[in-house]
Amino acid sequence: VAGDISHVGVILDASGDQWKTADAGQSDGRLVGWTCLKMTRKYDARTGTFLWRRGGSEDPEEVLRGLTFTAPPVRAGAKGDVLVTPATSDDGFLAVGLTPSGGLLWVKKLYSYLPESFELIDESFGSGASLAAHGDLVVGAPGQGLVFAISSRGETIWEARYPSGVRQALNDPRWAPCHPIVSGGKAVVAPFEGDCLLAIDLNTGAAAWTKRFLTGYHCLLGADASRVFFMDGTGRVTALSLADGTVAWASEALGPPSGRGFATSHRVYAAAGRSVVLLDAAKGTVIKKCKVWDDRIPEPVPGNLFLSRGDLFVGGTWGYAGLEPYEVSLAALDSLGIREQLLRRAMISHALGNYVEA
């Protein structure tokens, strides 16, 4: 979770119960992985107890006082015992290694830039700052033509450059901000201010393949062992071979994109046209299209999709919601009053396409 001091944060469990609403600037807030006020904070995920914070003007380490942490940390190392978080300074992009208890291990400067171009760079670095970890490696693609891999000890493993014809422009083509995807021995990156999708050998940093896009807005969804998935502005999901970047399949146009989806080993979940769309990862065929009818979820509907312990959730600027299969909703209607039963049964029937019954 990331935000600034103007935001109010809430942590929910799978049932929707919340600990407490807390201002982001309070040390007793109930937030996990919160990055704000130039700080990285840690809270107990079960109780919301504040544990520690790093950064800010009162940090005991001078090197951290002038940094702005731009995304929550990832866990790296053989045992996941190193927290690596991205940060910016007045003249560069950095990565910071911390212990689980908040101790400073190292600070690694990865990129320098001129102060006069900071405004544009700050936009791309902030949007593309999130990292991905795979064992001892941490991969980042913060923008401005840089992709890197460092070890959990802060050592540079490789650095790679990528082409872009739009680095100084704020229009098409664009990729939605996201972290790199690590799968099948490759790091797949879609830099926010670039016009390309590229796969890089995870061990050497050599480019395996690069796809250039002349127009449009695209979103990287994820990857499995053999394919990488992305969605374009029409809601069409495309799968590329992870080996060589050739097109494996392209789905039908699912409708206007309305949130970020994700991929698992067998399925691709997409958010389009007020619906959660489930596709077969091997063929691209639509398995199920579930319209979200609940008016408690405002625009955009449904929002960003994510899984937690097998349950499907959505999130947006309006908050978070847990979704359940229609069959579960229908089975629970008997516990409601007659009027509410009829109303909800009609809504679910309409969402299923059973218009006469609705």
Side-chain angles (χ1 to χ4, degrees), residues 18-259:
Q18 71 182 60
W19 293 332
K20 167 184 174 181
T21 301
D23 185 272
Q26 297 175 346
S27 62
D28 62 344
R30 300 300 189 258
L31 306 171
V32 179
W34 186 260
T35 304
C36 66
L37 291 175
K38 298 187 176 182
M39 300 178 192
T40 288
R41 298 170 177 240
K42 182 177 180 179
Y43 295 81
D44 187 288
R46 293 170 296 278
T47 65
T49 304
F50 171 74
L51 300 176
W52 53 259
R53 64 183 168 202
R54 297 309 306 261
S57 60
E58 298 180 358
D59 194 280
E61 297 285 349
E62 183 177 359
V63 68
L64 298 184
R65 295 173 196 163
L67 300 185
T68 297
F69 292 102
T70 49
V74 295
R75 297 179 61 182
K79 299 180 179 179
D81 52 358
V82 179
L83 303 178
V84 182
T85 183
T88 59
S89 66
D90 289 340
D91 64 349
F93 181 86
L94 307 92
V96 178
L98 303 170
T99 67
S101 59
L104 178 63
L105 294 172
W106 46 264
V107 176
K108 175 75 172 180
K109 190 170 186 178
L110 294 155
Y111 196 95
S112 296
Y113 43 77
L114 299 175
E116 54 264 29
S117 61
F118 178 74
E119 183 175 353
L120 177 62
I121 291 173
D122 180 52
E123 175 196 351
S124 58
F125 274 154
S127 298
S130 296
L131 306 174
H134 179 75
D136 195 53
L137 287 183
V138 176
V139 181
Q144 299 302 302
L146 174 69
V147 184
F148 65 85
I150 59 177
S151 72
S152 61
R153 298 172 297 281
E155 303 163 335
T156 299
I157 304 301
W158 50 259
E159 291 183 339
R161 308 291 294 182
Y162 58 84
S164 172
V166 298
R167 195 164 296 151
Q168 299 296 324
L170 298 178
N171 53 7
D172 289 343
R174 288 290 179 197
W175 284 87
C178 66
H179 57 75
I181 303 292
V182 177
S183 182
K186 294 181 176 64
V188 181
V189 297
F192 168 73
E193 40 65 76
D195 58 6
C196 65
L197 176 69
L198 64 155
I200 299 174
D201 186 281
L202 194 60
N203 296 316
T204 66
W209 50 264
T210 301
K211 287 284 186 179
R212 302 291 295 272
F213 294 81
L214 300 179
T215 60
Y217 193 80
H218 312 276
C219 178
L220 181 62
L221 300 180
D224 60 18
S226 58
R227 293 169 291 265
V228 56
F229 311 98
F230 70 91
M231 176 184 274
D232 63 23
T234 69
R236 190 183 308 276
V237 176
T238 300
L240 303 179
S241 168
L242 194 57
D244 56 15
T246 56
V247 176
W249 54 257
S251 76
E252 61 187 82
L254 304 176
S258 52

